[in-house]
Amino acid sequence: MPNTRSIAGALIVALALIPTGKAMAQRDDSDWLDDCRNQRGDRWEREQFCEIRKTGVRNPGSSITMDGLRNGGVIVTGWDRDSMAISTRIQVRARSQAVAKDIASQIRTVVRGGDVYVEGPRNDEDVNWSASIYAMVPRKSNLRVGTRNGPLSVENVRGDMDLQTSNGPLSLRDLGGSVRARTSNGPLTISLDGSRWDGTGLEARTTNGPLTISVPDGYNARLEAGTTNGPVSLGFPITVVGRITRDIATELGSGGPTIRATTTNGPLSIRRK
């Protein structure tokens, strides 16, 4: 089986291997491993093999890229170190444990400076695999993170960021800098922190999914949020000029950098943390 950075496979098979929101939220590797091993086989009666690989990088630089993942999620969390720690969570389904384990041995996490990607054999009808990345990165980092079929979560990072997933939930928590984030099919959750945005601002959108924005009491920002086809729910009073529609533009507190977030087909909820 030739190695490739492009992971082939039908979408229905890919989605079967995507970690659920609950699984991705499990920050402890041992919890994820237990959950993975306790999953039952699929309707094709394939066996499952689960493994975690750890990689450490000193001084990855100010720019970090995690792109090209097709089947698997990404969690990125900032910490107060100048190093990067990566856990790759590998899940393989095959006709036997022996075959699944052999496939897992061909999967590699490649790290070149601040560039991170996963490569391995092609998926086919009998074998399918996914690899999810959980990375601790320097708190001040410029990020480019993309995944095709899987959840994406970034928190506690400041920098220039381009974040994208096509089919999966997108979660943004306690970020700063200049952030652009989007998902085509999945919920978008934004949790603001502190008293104001530290940096240029945030522009985030989802096409098909609910949008939830959590705002701390006393937060200062220019908030622009809207939905094209969905209801609007406001968890606290806001001041707007004119009537309240599906598009809301308001100054929170004394104002500040712009927080702009929209959904096309989904409800909009703005609430207190």
Side-chain angles (χ1 to χ4, degrees), residues 152-154 169-175 181 183 186-192 202 204-206 209-214 261 269 271:
L152 172 57
S153 172
V154 182
L170 176 59
S171 175
L172 313 173
R173 181 179 181 276
D174 188 15
L175 302 184
T183 177
L188 170 59
T189 304
I190 300 169
S191 181
L192 303 174
L202 167 68
R205 59 182 170 85
T206 177
L211 167 60
T212 303
I213 306 172
S214 298
S269 175
R271 65 192 184 189

Side-chain angles (χ1 to χ4, degrees), residues 82-186:
D82 60 359
S83 58
M84 178 166 57
I86 301 168
S87 288
T88 305
R89 297 167 175 178
I90 297 169
Q91 184 176 0
V92 182
R93 286 179 179 169
R95 292 296 181 183
S96 69
Q97 276 285 315
V99 173
K101 189 173 182 179
D102 179 66
I103 294 298
S105 70
Q106 301 174 49
I107 299 170
R108 295 195 308 139
T109 302
V110 181
V111 182
R112 294 189 175 98
D115 293 339
V116 181
Y117 63 91
V118 179
E119 65 180 16
R122 292 184 181 275
N123 283 328
D124 57 33
E125 293 183 357
D126 294 324
V127 175
N128 284 278
W129 63 270
S130 70
S132 296
I133 291 177
Y134 175 32
M136 303 294 295
V137 305
R139 195 180 306 276
K140 293 184 178 180
S141 296
N142 299 322
L143 298 178
R144 181 172 179 262
V145 183
T147 181
R148 182 71 61 83
N149 298 311
L152 172 57
S153 172
V154 182
E155 67 174 274
N156 210 14
V157 181
R158 306 287 185 272
D160 186 272
M161 295 180 232
D162 189 349
L163 314 172
Q164 181 175 2
T165 178
S166 296
N167 299 303
L170 176 59
S171 175
L172 313 173
R173 181 179 181 276
D174 188 15
L175 302 184
S178 176
V179 181
R180 301 161 300 283
R182 55 204 176 277
T183 177
S184 298
N185 300 302

Side-chain angles (χ1 to χ4, degrees), residues 1 13 17 39 53 71 77 83 108 132 159 173 212-213 225 235:
M1 296 183 184
V13 176
L17 282 168
Q39 290 182 23
R53 309 261 182 82
N71 303 325
T77 303
S83 58
R108 295 195 308 139
S132 296
R173 181 179 181 276
T212 303
I213 306 172

